[in-house]
Amino acid sequence: MGVEIVNNLEEIQQFIESNRSYFGQCKEEASDKPVFMLGFDNTSPKEAFEQVLEGEPYYLAQCLYHLFFGDWVAKNEQFALESFGSLSYDEQGQIINPTMAYFYAYCLNRNDELDKSQSILETLRKRDFAPAYVTNGDLYILNGNSED
């Protein structure tokens, strides 16, 4: 089946525009020390927010991740979770942005919402989203299901 991505780029750009002031504040307070994140450049939180403000939506998931954990910018877990959730799905509840959904699942896992997190990962795996295969494999091993 493969990953079917419905382009919600316009929705993401509208989201960025409607939160421009907030992201500007985040940029000003964010760390300028590079943070290694798989799938992203070795970018600092400050640079990630700058990129988003300059119209590069690729870095939005990274910015929301930083906001969720608050290690490199002021923590805003609720904003991050709500943002990931709204940008991951369409009106029918189908995943339209696998990257946002993957980050959402990761944050839900850290927020002890394991069933919802695993459901997202399973859906992504069934749609051949490669990072979900690795994460599902880790979960199977962690849960003692290494035969699966």
Side-chain angles (χ1 to χ4, degrees), residues 89-119:
Y89 297 95
D90 66 11
E91 295 81 27
Q92 291 78 38
Q94 300 298 311
I95 293 174
I96 57 171
N97 191 313
T99 302
M100 288 290 180
Y102 184 76
F103 273 86
Y104 186 40
Y106 186 83
C107 292
L108 288 170
N109 180 283
R110 295 299 178 139
N111 214 31
D112 292 327
E113 296 182 57
L114 304 180
D115 289 341
K116 191 171 183 178
S117 173
Q118 288 181 355
S119 174

PDB file of all heavy atoms in Angstrom, residues 89-119:
ATOM      1  N   TYR A  89      -4.035  14.568  11.225  1.00  0.00           N
ATOM      2  CA  TYR A  89      -5.253  13.914  10.736  1.00  0.00           C
ATOM      3  C   TYR A  89      -6.114  14.827   9.882  1.00  0.00           C
ATOM      4  O   TYR A  89      -6.097  16.041  10.041  1.00  0.00           O
ATOM      5  CB  TYR A  89      -6.106  13.456  11.927  1.00  0.00           C
ATOM      6  CG  TYR A  89      -5.438  12.430  12.787  1.00  0.00           C
ATOM      7  CD1 TYR A  89      -4.736  12.795  13.924  1.00  0.00           C
ATOM      8  CD2 TYR A  89      -5.508  11.083  12.461  1.00  0.00           C
ATOM      9  CE1 TYR A  89      -4.113  11.846  14.720  1.00  0.00           C
ATOM     10  CE2 TYR A  89      -4.885  10.126  13.248  1.00  0.00           C
ATOM     11  CZ  TYR A  89      -4.197  10.514  14.383  1.00  0.00           C
ATOM     12  OH  TYR A  89      -3.573   9.578  15.163  1.00  0.00           O
ATOM     13  N   ASP A  90      -6.923  14.205   9.028  1.00  0.00           N
ATOM     14  CA  ASP A  90      -7.937  14.950   8.284  1.00  0.00           C
ATOM     15  C   ASP A  90      -9.259  14.911   9.063  1.00  0.00           C
ATOM     16  O   ASP A  90      -9.317  14.370  10.175  1.00  0.00           O
ATOM     17  CB  ASP A  90      -8.092  14.424   6.856  1.00  0.00           C
ATOM     18  CG  ASP A  90      -8.638  13.005   6.773  1.00  0.00           C
ATOM     19  OD1 ASP A  90      -9.105  12.446   7.795  1.00  0.00           O
ATOM     20  OD2 ASP A  90      -8.598  12.428   5.670  1.00  0.00           O
ATOM     21  N   GLU A  91     -10.301  15.470   8.480  1.00  0.00           N
ATOM     22  CA  GLU A  91     -11.602  15.545   9.148  1.00  0.00           C
ATOM     23  C   GLU A  91     -12.207  14.165   9.401  1.00  0.00           C
ATOM     24  O   GLU A  91     -13.039  13.998  10.288  1.00  0.00           O
ATOM     25  CB  GLU A  91     -12.596  16.380   8.317  1.00  0.00           C
ATOM     26  CG  GLU A  91     -12.235  17.838   8.174  1.00  0.00           C
ATOM     27  CD  GLU A  91     -11.189  18.071   7.071  1.00  0.00           C
ATOM     28  OE1 GLU A  91     -11.103  17.273   6.099  1.00  0.00           O
ATOM     29  OE2 GLU A  91     -10.445  19.055   7.193  1.00  0.00           O
ATOM     30  N   GLN A  92     -11.821  13.174   8.620  1.00  0.00           N
ATOM     31  CA  GLN A  92     -12.342  11.817   8.793  1.00  0.00           C
ATOM     32  C   GLN A  92     -11.504  10.983   9.763  1.00  0.00           C
ATOM     33  O   GLN A  92     -11.778   9.804   9.967  1.00  0.00           O
ATOM     34  CB  GLN A  92     -12.406  11.083   7.434  1.00  0.00           C
ATOM     35  CG  GLN A  92     -13.449  11.618   6.482  1.00  0.00           C
ATOM     36  CD  GLN A  92     -12.998  12.910   5.806  1.00  0.00           C
ATOM     37  OE1 GLN A  92     -11.839  13.064   5.457  1.00  0.00           O
ATOM     38  NE2 GLN A  92     -13.926  13.832   5.643  1.00  0.00           N
ATOM     39  N   GLY A  93     -10.486  11.580  10.340  1.00  0.00           N
ATOM     40  CA  GLY A  93      -9.639  10.872  11.293  1.00  0.00           C
ATOM     41  C   GLY A  93      -8.553  10.024  10.666  1.00  0.00           C
ATOM     42  O   GLY A  93      -7.968   9.168  11.324  1.00  0.00           O
ATOM     43  N   GLN A  94      -8.255  10.267   9.388  1.00  0.00           N
ATOM     44  CA  GLN A  94      -7.203   9.537   8.692  1.00  0.00           C
ATOM     45  C   GLN A  94      -5.886  10.314   8.777  1.00  0.00           C
ATOM     46  O   GLN A  94      -5.885  11.536   8.661  1.00  0.00           O
ATOM     47  CB  GLN A  94      -7.577   9.343   7.217  1.00  0.00           C
ATOM     48  CG  GLN A  94      -8.853   8.564   7.002  1.00  0.00           C
ATOM     49  CD  GLN A  94      -8.761   7.155   7.549  1.00  0.00           C
ATOM     50  OE1 GLN A  94      -7.804   6.431   7.278  1.00  0.00           O
ATOM     51  NE2 GLN A  94      -9.747   6.760   8.340  1.00  0.00           N
ATOM     52  N   ILE A  95      -4.801   9.595   8.955  1.00  0.00           N
ATOM     53  CA  ILE A  95      -3.490  10.237   9.009  1.00  0.00           C
ATOM     54  C   ILE A  95      -3.161  10.804   7.636  1.00  0.00           C
ATOM     55  O   ILE A  95      -3.167  10.088   6.642  1.00  0.00           O
ATOM     56  CB  ILE A  95      -2.403   9.253   9.455  1.00  0.00           C
ATOM     57  CG1 ILE A  95      -2.642   8.837  10.909  1.00  0.00           C
ATOM     58  CG2 ILE A  95      -1.009   9.869   9.287  1.00  0.00           C
ATOM     59  CD1 ILE A  95      -1.702   7.760  11.418  1.00  0.00           C
ATOM     60  N   ILE A  96      -2.884  12.110   7.608  1.00  0.00           N
ATOM     61  CA  ILE A  96      -2.511  12.758   6.357  1.00  0.00           C
ATOM     62  C   ILE A  96      -1.069  13.256   6.373  1.00  0.00           C
ATOM     63  O   ILE A  96      -0.535  13.622   5.343  1.00  0.00           O
ATOM     64  CB  ILE A  96      -3.458  13.933   6.005  1.00  0.00           C
ATOM     65  CG1 ILE A  96      -3.484  14.971   7.126  1.00  0.00           C
ATOM     66  CG2 ILE A  96      -4.830  13.425   5.668  1.00  0.00           C
ATOM     67  CD1 ILE A  96      -4.211  16.249   6.767  1.00  0.00           C
ATOM     68  N   ASN A  97      -0.467  13.284   7.545  1.00  0.00           N
ATOM     69  CA  ASN A  97       0.915  13.725   7.647  1.00  0.00           C
ATOM     70  C   ASN A  97       1.665  12.723   8.517  1.00  0.00           C
ATOM     71  O   ASN A  97       1.686  12.855   9.744  1.00  0.00           O
ATOM     72  CB  ASN A  97       0.991  15.142   8.227  1.00  0.00           C
ATOM     73  CG  ASN A  97       2.369  15.734   8.091  1.00  0.00           C
ATOM     74  OD1 ASN A  97       3.359  15.084   8.403  1.00  0.00           O
ATOM     75  ND2 ASN A  97       2.440  16.963   7.637  1.00  0.00           N
ATOM     76  N   PRO A  98       2.273  11.705   7.902  1.00  0.00           N
ATOM     77  CA  PRO A  98       2.941  10.662   8.673  1.00  0.00           C
ATOM     78  C   PRO A  98       4.038  11.170   9.605  1.00  0.00           C
ATOM     79  O   PRO A  98       4.199  10.648  10.704  1.00  0.00           O
ATOM     80  CB  PRO A  98       3.525   9.742   7.600  1.00  0.00           C
ATOM     81  CG  PRO A  98       2.668   9.972   6.410  1.00  0.00           C
ATOM     82  CD  PRO A  98       2.281  11.417   6.473  1.00  0.00           C
ATOM     83  N   THR A  99       4.776  12.179   9.188  1.00  0.00           N
ATOM     84  CA  THR A  99       5.846  12.703  10.046  1.00  0.00           C
ATOM     85  C   THR A  99       5.270  13.317  11.309  1.00  0.00           C
ATOM     86  O   THR A  99       5.742  13.034  12.420  1.00  0.00           O
ATOM     87  CB  THR A  99       6.707  13.730   9.290  1.00  0.00           C
ATOM     88  OG1 THR A  99       7.248  13.102   8.125  1.00  0.00           O
ATOM     89  CG2 THR A  99       7.824  14.269  10.164  1.00  0.00           C
ATOM     90  N   MET A 100       4.247  14.145  11.163  1.00  0.00           N
ATOM     91  CA  MET A 100       3.602  14.734  12.340  1.00  0.00           C
ATOM     92  C   MET A 100       3.006  13.648  13.222  1.00  0.00           C
ATOM     93  O   MET A 100       3.113  13.693  14.449  1.00  0.00           O
ATOM     94  CB  MET A 100       2.508  15.726  11.927  1.00  0.00           C
ATOM     95  CG  MET A 100       3.019  17.010  11.342  1.00  0.00           C
ATOM     96  SD  MET A 100       3.822  18.026  12.585  1.00  0.00           S
ATOM     97  CE  MET A 100       4.292  19.401  11.559  1.00  0.00           C
ATOM     98  N   ALA A 101       2.371  12.648  12.604  1.00  0.00           N
ATOM     99  CA  ALA A 101       1.754  11.564  13.363  1.00  0.00           C
ATOM    100  C   ALA A 101       2.812  10.756  14.115  1.00  0.00           C
ATOM    101  O   ALA A 101       2.591  10.332  15.256  1.00  0.00           O
ATOM    102  CB  ALA A 101       0.944  10.667  12.434  1.00  0.00           C
ATOM    103  N   TYR A 102       3.959  10.537  13.487  1.00  0.00           N
ATOM    104  CA  TYR A 102       5.033   9.796  14.141  1.00  0.00           C
ATOM    105  C   TYR A 102       5.531  10.545  15.384  1.00  0.00           C
ATOM    106  O   TYR A 102       5.688   9.961  16.455  1.00  0.00           O
ATOM    107  CB  TYR A 102       6.172   9.565  13.147  1.00  0.00           C
ATOM    108  CG  TYR A 102       7.285   8.723  13.709  1.00  0.00           C
ATOM    109  CD1 TYR A 102       7.137   7.353  13.844  1.00  0.00           C
ATOM    110  CD2 TYR A 102       8.483   9.310  14.098  1.00  0.00           C
ATOM    111  CE1 TYR A 102       8.157   6.575  14.370  1.00  0.00           C
ATOM    112  CE2 TYR A 102       9.505   8.539  14.613  1.00  0.00           C
ATOM    113  CZ  TYR A 102       9.345   7.170  14.755  1.00  0.00           C
ATOM    114  OH  TYR A 102      10.355   6.407  15.275  1.00  0.00           O
ATOM    115  N   PHE A 103       5.774  11.832  15.237  1.00  0.00           N
ATOM    116  CA  PHE A 103       6.183  12.639  16.393  1.00  0.00           C
ATOM    117  C   PHE A 103       5.085  12.662  17.460  1.00  0.00           C
ATOM    118  O   PHE A 103       5.373  12.621  18.655  1.00  0.00           O
ATOM    119  CB  PHE A 103       6.508  14.074  15.965  1.00  0.00           C
ATOM    120  CG  PHE A 103       7.928  14.266  15.512  1.00  0.00           C
ATOM    121  CD1 PHE A 103       8.282  14.018  14.200  1.00  0.00           C
ATOM    122  CD2 PHE A 103       8.901  14.702  16.389  1.00  0.00           C
ATOM    123  CE1 PHE A 103       9.591  14.199  13.771  1.00  0.00           C
ATOM    124  CE2 PHE A 103      10.215  14.885  15.973  1.00  0.00           C
ATOM    125  CZ  PHE A 103      10.561  14.627  14.659  1.00  0.00           C
ATOM    126  N   TYR A 104       3.846  12.749  17.024  1.00  0.00           N
ATOM    127  CA  TYR A 104       2.701  12.736  17.937  1.00  0.00           C
ATOM    128  C   TYR A 104       2.707  11.438  18.746  1.00  0.00           C
ATOM    129  O   TYR A 104       2.557  11.459  19.974  1.00  0.00           O
ATOM    130  CB  TYR A 104       1.420  12.878  17.122  1.00  0.00           C
ATOM    131  CG  TYR A 104       0.142  13.027  17.906  1.00  0.00           C
ATOM    132  CD1 TYR A 104       0.064  13.801  19.061  1.00  0.00           C
ATOM    133  CD2 TYR A 104      -1.023  12.403  17.461  1.00  0.00           C
ATOM    134  CE1 TYR A 104      -1.128  13.948  19.747  1.00  0.00           C
ATOM    135  CE2 TYR A 104      -2.221  12.544  18.141  1.00  0.00           C
ATOM    136  CZ  TYR A 104      -2.270  13.314  19.281  1.00  0.00           C
ATOM    137  OH  TYR A 104      -3.464  13.453  19.958  1.00  0.00           O
ATOM    138  N   ALA A 105       2.907  10.303  18.072  1.00  0.00           N
ATOM    139  CA  ALA A 105       2.945   9.018  18.763  1.00  0.00           C
ATOM    140  C   ALA A 105       4.077   8.994  19.786  1.00  0.00           C
ATOM    141  O   ALA A 105       3.909   8.493  20.904  1.00  0.00           O
ATOM    142  CB  ALA A 105       3.119   7.882  17.750  1.00  0.00           C
ATOM    143  N   TYR A 106       5.215   9.531  19.419  1.00  0.00           N
ATOM    144  CA  TYR A 106       6.361   9.569  20.329  1.00  0.00           C
ATOM    145  C   TYR A 106       6.025  10.383  21.582  1.00  0.00           C
ATOM    146  O   TYR A 106       6.294   9.956  22.700  1.00  0.00           O
ATOM    147  CB  TYR A 106       7.578  10.168  19.613  1.00  0.00           C
ATOM    148  CG  TYR A 106       8.839  10.106  20.427  1.00  0.00           C
ATOM    149  CD1 TYR A 106       9.613   8.944  20.446  1.00  0.00           C
ATOM    150  CD2 TYR A 106       9.261  11.187  21.188  1.00  0.00           C
ATOM    151  CE1 TYR A 106      10.775   8.874  21.201  1.00  0.00           C
ATOM    152  CE2 TYR A 106      10.425  11.122  21.943  1.00  0.00           C
ATOM    153  CZ  TYR A 106      11.173   9.963  21.951  1.00  0.00           C
ATOM    154  OH  TYR A 106      12.314   9.890  22.702  1.00  0.00           O
ATOM    155  N   CYS A 107       5.424  11.536  21.393  1.00  0.00           N
ATOM    156  CA  CYS A 107       5.071  12.386  22.529  1.00  0.00           C
ATOM    157  C   CYS A 107       3.964  11.747  23.377  1.00  0.00           C
ATOM    158  O   CYS A 107       4.002  11.828  24.605  1.00  0.00           O
ATOM    159  CB  CYS A 107       4.658  13.775  22.049  1.00  0.00           C
ATOM    160  SG  CYS A 107       6.027  14.715  21.332  1.00  0.00           S
ATOM    161  N   LEU A 108       2.990  11.123  22.727  1.00  0.00           N
ATOM    162  CA  LEU A 108       1.937  10.428  23.479  1.00  0.00           C
ATOM    163  C   LEU A 108       2.538   9.316  24.330  1.00  0.00           C
ATOM    164  O   LEU A 108       2.121   9.111  25.479  1.00  0.00           O
ATOM    165  CB  LEU A 108       0.892   9.851  22.524  1.00  0.00           C
ATOM    166  CG  LEU A 108      -0.034  10.850  21.856  1.00  0.00           C
ATOM    167  CD1 LEU A 108      -0.854  10.166  20.760  1.00  0.00           C
ATOM    168  CD2 LEU A 108      -0.959  11.522  22.869  1.00  0.00           C
ATOM    169  N   ASN A 109       3.509   8.612  23.785  1.00  0.00           N
ATOM    170  CA  ASN A 109       4.174   7.558  24.535  1.00  0.00           C
ATOM    171  C   ASN A 109       4.827   8.133  25.790  1.00  0.00           C
ATOM    172  O   ASN A 109       4.706   7.577  26.872  1.00  0.00           O
ATOM    173  CB  ASN A 109       5.211   6.874  23.642  1.00  0.00           C
ATOM    174  CG  ASN A 109       5.927   5.765  24.360  1.00  0.00           C
ATOM    175  OD1 ASN A 109       6.808   6.012  25.182  1.00  0.00           O
ATOM    176  ND2 ASN A 109       5.560   4.532  24.054  1.00  0.00           N
ATOM    177  N   ARG A 110       5.488   9.254  25.637  1.00  0.00           N
ATOM    178  CA  ARG A 110       6.151   9.902  26.775  1.00  0.00           C
ATOM    179  C   ARG A 110       5.146  10.476  27.761  1.00  0.00           C
ATOM    180  O   ARG A 110       5.473  10.741  28.905  1.00  0.00           O
ATOM    181  CB  ARG A 110       7.078  11.024  26.293  1.00  0.00           C
ATOM    182  CG  ARG A 110       8.218  10.551  25.471  1.00  0.00           C
ATOM    183  CD  ARG A 110       9.100   9.615  26.273  1.00  0.00           C
ATOM    184  NE  ARG A 110      10.173   9.129  25.445  1.00  0.00           N
ATOM    185  CZ  ARG A 110      11.405   8.992  25.867  1.00  0.00           C
ATOM    186  NH1 ARG A 110      11.724   9.282  27.097  1.00  0.00           N
ATOM    187  NH2 ARG A 110      12.314   8.527  25.052  1.00  0.00           N
ATOM    188  N   ASN A 111       3.913  10.644  27.302  1.00  0.00           N
ATOM    189  CA  ASN A 111       2.840  11.193  28.127  1.00  0.00           C
ATOM    190  C   ASN A 111       1.964  10.067  28.702  1.00  0.00           C
ATOM    191  O   ASN A 111       0.873  10.318  29.164  1.00  0.00           O
ATOM    192  CB  ASN A 111       1.978  12.148  27.275  1.00  0.00           C
ATOM    193  CG  ASN A 111       1.442  13.294  28.066  1.00  0.00           C
ATOM    194  OD1 ASN A 111       2.063  13.753  29.003  1.00  0.00           O
ATOM    195  ND2 ASN A 111       0.265  13.758  27.700  1.00  0.00           N
ATOM    196  N   ASP A 112       2.461   8.839  28.636  1.00  0.00           N
ATOM    197  CA  ASP A 112       1.776   7.643  29.139  1.00  0.00           C
ATOM    198  C   ASP A 112       0.440   7.360  28.477  1.00  0.00           C
ATOM    199  O   ASP A 112      -0.453   6.785  29.081  1.00  0.00           O
ATOM    200  CB  ASP A 112       1.618   7.694  30.661  1.00  0.00           C
ATOM    201  CG  ASP A 112       2.944   7.575  31.383  1.00  0.00           C
ATOM    202  OD1 ASP A 112       3.836   6.873  30.863  1.00  0.00           O
ATOM    203  OD2 ASP A 112       3.099   8.179  32.449  1.00  0.00           O
ATOM    204  N   GLU A 113       0.302   7.752  27.220  1.00  0.00           N
ATOM    205  CA  GLU A 113      -0.875   7.398  26.435  1.00  0.00           C
ATOM    206  C   GLU A 113      -0.452   6.316  25.438  1.00  0.00           C
ATOM    207  O   GLU A 113      -0.471   6.510  24.221  1.00  0.00           O
ATOM    208  CB  GLU A 113      -1.436   8.635  25.736  1.00  0.00           C
ATOM    209  CG  GLU A 113      -1.946   9.681  26.716  1.00  0.00           C
ATOM    210  CD  GLU A 113      -2.555  10.882  26.037  1.00  0.00           C
ATOM    211  OE1 GLU A 113      -3.500  10.692  25.243  1.00  0.00           O
ATOM    212  OE2 GLU A 113      -2.075  11.997  26.305  1.00  0.00           O
ATOM    213  N   LEU A 114      -0.084   5.163  26.008  1.00  0.00           N
ATOM    214  CA  LEU A 114       0.558   4.107  25.237  1.00  0.00           C
ATOM    215  C   LEU A 114      -0.351   3.487  24.184  1.00  0.00           C
ATOM    216  O   LEU A 114       0.101   3.198  23.075  1.00  0.00           O
ATOM    217  CB  LEU A 114       1.094   3.032  26.175  1.00  0.00           C
ATOM    218  CG  LEU A 114       2.068   3.523  27.250  1.00  0.00           C
ATOM    219  CD1 LEU A 114       2.529   2.365  28.123  1.00  0.00           C
ATOM    220  CD2 LEU A 114       3.251   4.223  26.621  1.00  0.00           C
ATOM    221  N   ASP A 115      -1.614   3.260  24.515  1.00  0.00           N
ATOM    222  CA  ASP A 115      -2.515   2.630  23.543  1.00  0.00           C
ATOM    223  C   ASP A 115      -2.676   3.500  22.293  1.00  0.00           C
ATOM    224  O   ASP A 115      -2.607   2.996  21.165  1.00  0.00           O
ATOM    225  CB  ASP A 115      -3.884   2.348  24.164  1.00  0.00           C
ATOM    226  CG  ASP A 115      -3.833   1.216  25.183  1.00  0.00           C
ATOM    227  OD1 ASP A 115      -2.864   0.430  25.160  1.00  0.00           O
ATOM    228  OD2 ASP A 115      -4.763   1.118  26.006  1.00  0.00           O
ATOM    229  N   LYS A 116      -2.872   4.781  22.503  1.00  0.00           N
ATOM    230  CA  LYS A 116      -3.039   5.692  21.369  1.00  0.00           C
ATOM    231  C   LYS A 116      -1.740   5.786  20.563  1.00  0.00           C
ATOM    232  O   LYS A 116      -1.766   5.773  19.330  1.00  0.00           O
ATOM    233  CB  LYS A 116      -3.465   7.072  21.871  1.00  0.00           C
ATOM    234  CG  LYS A 116      -3.918   8.004  20.788  1.00  0.00           C
ATOM    235  CD  LYS A 116      -4.526   9.269  21.373  1.00  0.00           C
ATOM    236  CE  LYS A 116      -5.054  10.161  20.271  1.00  0.00           C
ATOM    237  NZ  LYS A 116      -5.681  11.368  20.799  1.00  0.00           N
ATOM    238  N   SER A 117      -0.622   5.844  21.260  1.00  0.00           N
ATOM    239  CA  SER A 117       0.678   5.905  20.599  1.00  0.00           C
ATOM    240  C   SER A 117       0.903   4.660  19.749  1.00  0.00           C
ATOM    241  O   SER A 117       1.282   4.754  18.578  1.00  0.00           O
ATOM    242  CB  SER A 117       1.778   6.037  21.653  1.00  0.00           C
ATOM    243  OG  SER A 117       3.056   5.949  21.064  1.00  0.00           O
ATOM    244  N   GLN A 118       0.668   3.493  20.313  1.00  0.00           N
ATOM    245  CA  GLN A 118       0.893   2.249  19.581  1.00  0.00           C
ATOM    246  C   GLN A 118      -0.073   2.106  18.415  1.00  0.00           C
ATOM    247  O   GLN A 118       0.297   1.563  17.373  1.00  0.00           O
ATOM    248  CB  GLN A 118       0.808   1.062  20.531  1.00  0.00           C
ATOM    249  CG  GLN A 118       2.013   1.010  21.453  1.00  0.00           C
ATOM    250  CD  GLN A 118       1.984  -0.165  22.408  1.00  0.00           C
ATOM    251  OE1 GLN A 118       1.030  -0.924  22.472  1.00  0.00           O
ATOM    252  NE2 GLN A 118       3.052  -0.318  23.175  1.00  0.00           N
ATOM    253  N   SER A 119      -1.284   2.602  18.564  1.00  0.00           N
ATOM    254  CA  SER A 119      -2.248   2.553  17.464  1.00  0.00           C
ATOM    255  C   SER A 119      -1.768   3.382  16.271  1.00  0.00           C
ATOM    256  O   SER A 119      -1.858   2.950  15.118  1.00  0.00           O
ATOM    257  CB  SER A 119      -3.612   3.055  17.947  1.00  0.00           C
ATOM    258  OG  SER A 119      -4.510   3.142  16.883  1.00  0.00           O
TER     259      SER A 119
END
